Amino acid sequence: MWVNVVIIGLLLFIVVNLAMGLVYMLRDRGRSDRTLKALTRRIAISVVLFLLLILGMATGIVTPHQNPLGLRPPGAESG
């Protein structure tokens, strides 16, 4: 359960930093480096999230869903 909270929190932090980068880009019009810092934070947190997901899958804490919607692949026989 705590893993889900951490993943969702990091995803929200990524979206917030992306929005902050947009706001800074529109307000500052290239006169400051706040846009660069916000987008750099977003990329850094994205890399951290990716590495945490890989580590979680390697240790068995995170298990990817093989077929969460129960869809059959094309060409699979129904029966």
Side-chain angles (χ1 to χ4, degrees), residues 26-57:
L26 293 175
R27 285 188 184 169
D28 295 347
R29 300 196 186 270
R31 290 186 296 265
S32 75
D33 61 343
R34 294 192 307 175
T35 302
L36 177 65
K37 288 180 182 178
L39 296 179
T40 302
R41 275 192 307 267
R42 181 184 64 90
I43 291 170
I45 296 299
S46 297
V47 169
V48 167
L49 177 61
F50 181 74
L51 292 176
L52 285 176
L53 286 173
I54 295 296
L55 180 67
M57 284 189 267

Side-chain angles (χ1 to χ4, degrees), residues 3 5-8 11 13-14 16-18 21 23-25 29 33 53-54 61 63 66 69-70 72 74 77 79:
V3 175
V5 173
V6 170
I7 291 171
I8 291 171
L11 286 172
F13 190 66
I14 290 168
V16 166
N17 273 291
L18 184 62
V23 169
Y24 294 152
M25 183 177 65
R29 300 196 186 270
D33 61 343
L53 286 173
I54 295 296
I61 295 173
T63 55
Q66 296 299 320
L69 299 178
R72 284 186 229 133
E77 295 183 29

